[in-house]
Amino acid sequence: MTKHFLGLGVLLAVGIVYPAIFPNYLTIAISVLLFAGWATSWDLLGGWNGQVSLGHASFVGLGAYFVAIGQSRFGLAPWWTMAMAAAFAAALGYFWGWLTFSLRGPYFSLSTIAVAEILRLVAINEEWLTGGATGVFIATLPEPFGIDLFSRVAQFYMALAFAAVVVATVIVISRARFGYQLRAVREDEDSAMAAGIDPTTTKLKAFMLSAALTSIGGGIYGIVLAFIEPHVIFALLLSVQIALTAIIGGRGTIWGPAVGALVLIGAGEMFRTTFAEANMLIYGILILVVVLFVPRGIVGELARRRIRRLYAKRAQG
Amino acid sequence: MPNVLRADGITVKFGGVTAVNNVSLSLGSGEILGLIGPNGAGKTTLFNAVTGFAPVHSGRITLLDKDITALPAFKRTRLGFGRTFQTERPFEELTVLENVLIAAFLTAGRRSEAERLAMNVLEQVGLADRAHQPALDLNLARRRRLELAKALAVRPKVIFLDEIMAGLNPPALREMIAFVRTLSTQGLAVLMVEHIMEAIIELSDHVIVLASGEKIAEGTPQQVTSDERVIEAYLGTD
Ligand SMILES: Nc1ncnc2c1ncn2[C@@H]1O[C@H](COP(=O)(O)OP(=O)(O)OP(=O)(O)O)[C@@H](O)[C@H]1O
Ligand SMILES: [Mg+2]
């Protein structure tokens, strides 16, 4: 655990000086950090607990809308609305889990697609609150300690803090009782019950925590975008991107989702300039490569090899 | 001897098939109850019904005079049941220690405490030197012992062992028999399904014989092995 926290500390230090060194590459760094945080949050449910969600754009969107509507209509500061979004996302996760966790395997995943679809329709139809299909615009933001939240540097640090908090949460959970309950339920629900674990409660807790964390990143994303449109934020594409980021990086590993974010966003950005739809192409190719050659994801495969080497050595000596 | 576990008139049906029909049993602490019968007799199903992994059609189960018939499996575990699965079910992606740790976390709140309990149990079953190996890599005899360790790590009052001796070589079998004996001398109530008569005769205080879901005989190992219906049931299926 100390090893992981040390790694996180080093990355944080790099992050803190990053804006001074690469002031022209802040937007892409914000993308990487937000996706790292979202994918890591997703992984609590999808990787550690084995319940693949294809609806996490819902929670991103909730966070963004709460911040935007709170600010523009009620003059509520983002930190209050992010907390409210987190509570609402957790409640929605609880409700959806309660409704669907009796569905096994792919059926749960498919059902999650509906969540974002429903929210998108609500956002389009409840125009009085959400601005309908046109969306909401954040025109002003508070300036805590004189910090301009519209500046990319401030947004970068918010995204950095978000990603760091989520990774730290997973580091702690990975060693704790809850982390083992998550994995036990993923591996074998009957065996988990024989160890006194309630599979449904475990999955609900995972869903709630995953949703709440994701929505906080969504709130930051709302500030970054400043203009929130329902079809962009509650998009299946975003849900799929979040899931793929974690899967390609390595499900159920501490650093996998963050590595996935770096690889996917980095590669996507590099090719975008030469070929507009490059993102989709990159995703397509990466999915193929991962499914065929590294089913455990990048970090998952590396960890596996390390354990194998360790045992090969021990068996000889 | 006071009863720890009682099951009265347990019936389990799968669709139209009655897998267990009106079977009762009772068990005191430190007692070993052997459950035998031909393949498909309903032994595992009876285990599952009592531990909460199969739906009970009718009957009543009490643990220390508390009615647990309606409780889900994980709650029965929390009240004092430990069980193995006939086909071992380790958490394959995890290490041997982590497998046992998951069960140990039931009674140990802090990680250090859970780890101590888990290592303790692994030493008891002779897997301590494999603690950091992936569970996936264990051979059959060791998988059995891991299954046993997981069942013990919840600190049960009653332990259900489903054919943990099957397929073991003679020395491993002797070890396992001795181990089950120590469990009962420590005050655990043991319910075991076993095809290996050597183990049943040596260990059981009391034996129940099932055939086609019915209890056809019960008594001491000597009584049931000389019972004509039992001999018939076994010869009949061969
Ligand atoms: N989940 C289930 N659904 C339908 N039928 C089942 C189910 N589980 C068991 N059975 C049936 O119930 C009967 C009893 O099976 P059970 O596994 O309890 O036998 P057993 O005595 O444990 O046999 P073995 O010695 O082979 O382990 C069998 O006919 C089996 O096919
Ligand atoms: Mg059986």
Side-chain angles (χ1 to χ4, degrees):
Chain A
M1 180 147 80
T2 42
K3 186 184 63 185
H4 291 298
F5 271 122
L6 218 68
L8 185 60
V10 170
L11 287 176
L12 261 177
V14 171
I16 285 166
V17 297
Y18 181 93
I21 304 170
F22 301 105
N24 298 325
Y25 294 94
L26 286 176
T27 307
I28 181 175
I30 291 170
S31 282
V32 170
L33 289 169
L34 287 178
F35 268 94
W38 289 330
T40 308
S41 308
W42 178 93
D43 202 41
L44 271 172
L45 180 67
W48 296 88
N49 198 29
Q51 310 299 313
V52 171
S53 154
L54 292 175
H56 262 52
S58 315
F59 309 118
V60 173
L62 275 179
Y65 265 103
F66 263 73
V67 166
I69 295 172
Q71 187 66 56
S72 63
R73 298 202 190 252
F74 306 103
L76 283 168
W79 39 94
W80 299 123
T81 42
M82 276 189 218
M84 287 160 60
F88 192 92
L92 182 63
Y94 182 90
F95 173 72
W96 202 261
W98 170 80
L99 211 62
T100 59
F101 272 143
S102 55
L103 302 172
R104 293 240 173 174
Y107 297 105
F108 166 74
S109 305
L110 289 177
S111 85
T112 56
I113 295 175
V115 187
E117 279 306 296
I118 293 168
L119 288 178
R120 190 172 59 86
L121 292 176
V122 170
I124 289 172
N125 288 315
E126 304 303 312
E127 204 167 340
W128 60 276
L129 182 69
T130 61
T134 2
V136 241
F137 184 64
I138 305 178
T140 57
L141 280 171
E143 296 190 358
F145 312 107
I147 298 165
D148 174 13
L149 295 182
F150 283 116
S151 78
R152 280 285 181 260
V153 176
Q155 292 167 356
F156 171 87
Y157 283 123
M158 285 193 280
L160 179 67
F162 165 63
V165 165
V166 176
V167 171
T169 304
V170 171
I171 293 174
V172 172
I173 286 177
S174 74
R175 295 260 313 165
R177 179 196 219 167
F178 181 51
Y180 283 100
Q181 292 174 336
L182 291 178
R183 278 169 277 182
V185 169
R186 172 190 73 195
E187 297 286 306
D188 188 331
E189 290 195 14
D190 280 346
S191 230
M193 285 197 282
I197 297 166
D198 176 357
T200 308
T201 302
T202 306
K203 287 189 271 187
L204 286 175
K205 282 188 197 163
F207 203 169
M208 290 169 72
L209 182 60
S210 176
L213 288 172
T214 304
S215 74
I216 292 170
I220 297 167
Y221 192 42
I223 294 173
V224 172
L225 291 175
F227 181 51
I228 292 123
E229 297 167 278
H231 64 275
V232 172
I233 203 120
F234 289 124
L236 179 60
L237 176 65
L238 180 56
S239 292
V240 171
Q241 276 178 312
I242 292 171
L244 278 181
T245 302
I247 291 167
I248 286 169
R251 284 168 68 186
T253 64
I254 291 168
W255 296 102
V259 169
L262 198 64
V263 170
L264 274 184
I265 306 293
E269 199 67 22
M270 268 192 287
F271 286 86
R272 180 145 68 193
T273 40
T274 47
F275 186 40
E277 290 293 299
N279 267 325
M280 296 316 294
L281 188 69
I282 298 293
Y283 284 126
I285 293 171
L286 276 171
I287 295 165
L288 264 180
V289 169
V290 166
V291 167
L292 290 176
F293 304 110
V294 271
R296 288 164 190 279
I298 298 165
V299 175
E301 195 57 38
L302 290 176
R304 187 83 189 155
R305 292 207 180 149
R306 203 176 61 86
I307 291 173
R308 289 266 161 245
R309 260 204 316 279
L310 230 115
Y311 269 88
K313 253 192 221 144
R314 217 177 268 189
Q316 286 163 7
Chain B
M1 212 177 309
N3 285 328
V4 176
L5 173 70
R6 273 186 75 90
D8 290 308
I10 303 299
T11 299
V12 181
K13 293 186 177 176
F14 294 116
V17 184
T18 305
V20 174
N21 193 8
N22 194 25
V23 176
S24 301
L25 57 85
S26 72
L27 187 59
S29 61
E31 206 179 332
I32 302 181
L33 174 61
L35 192 57
I36 62 171
N39 290 112
K43 306 180 295 295
T44 298
T45 305
L46 179 59
F47 255 39
N48 286 343
V50 175
T51 49
F53 288 86
V56 175
H57 181 263
S58 60
R60 188 164 176 269
I61 305 155
T62 55
L63 175 66
L64 297 168
D65 293 327
K66 183 180 158 55
D67 189 336
I68 59 167
T69 319
L71 293 184
F74 62 88
K75 286 197 179 155
R76 300 188 201 193
T77 306
R78 292 173 192 174
L79 289 174
F81 279 4
R83 72 161 293 171
T84 66
F85 289 94
Q86 186 172 348
T87 8
E88 316 84 66
R89 297 176 82 154
F91 304 113
E92 296 198 326
E93 291 281 306
L94 304 179
T95 67
V96 169
L97 176 63
E98 286 174 323
N99 263 269
V100 184
L101 200 56
I102 285 169
F105 265 127
L106 184 62
T107 59
R110 279 180 305 126
R111 167 140 186 150
S112 55
E113 203 184 320
E115 218 164 289
R116 216 171 16 242
L117 171 59
M119 275 315 289
N120 211 320
V121 173
L122 282 176
E123 265 156 36
Q124 277 183 57
V125 303
L127 276 180
D129 56 329
R130 305 273 163 177
H132 299 289
Q133 193 167 329
L136 192 65
D137 294 349
L138 296 182
N139 66 20
L140 177 76
R142 294 201 181 95
R143 280 166 79 94
R144 284 282 162 67
R145 287 196 243 162
L146 175 58
E147 197 65 19
L148 189 56
K150 283 165 62 190
L152 284 170
V154 299
R155 294 175 179 264
K157 298 184 182 77
V158 187
I159 192 163
F160 297 76
L161 308 173
D162 197 351
E163 299 199 27
I164 55 165
M165 318 232 182
L168 296 186
N169 62 29
L173 176 64
R174 295 308 316 165
E175 260 181 58
M176 198 56 109
I177 290 176
F179 188 73
V180 173
R181 169 65 64 207
T182 53
L183 293 183
S184 84
T185 53
Q186 286 163 12
L188 219 63
V190 181
L191 215 158
M192 62 175 198
V193 167
E194 209 51 72
H195 280 296
I196 298 178
M197 289 311 284
E198 180 187 349
I200 287 288
I201 290 168
E202 206 167 315
L203 288 169
S204 311
D205 297 300
H206 195 81
V207 180
I208 288 176
V209 189
L210 285 187
S212 310
E214 313 262 352
K215 187 200 277 184
I216 58 164
E218 72 174 305
T220 63
Q222 287 69 31
Q223 282 168 344
V224 297
T225 45
S226 55
D227 189 297
E228 267 175 35
R229 278 166 304 174
V230 176
I231 297 166
E232 206 174 294
Y234 270 91
L235 292 179
T237 57
D238 278 345

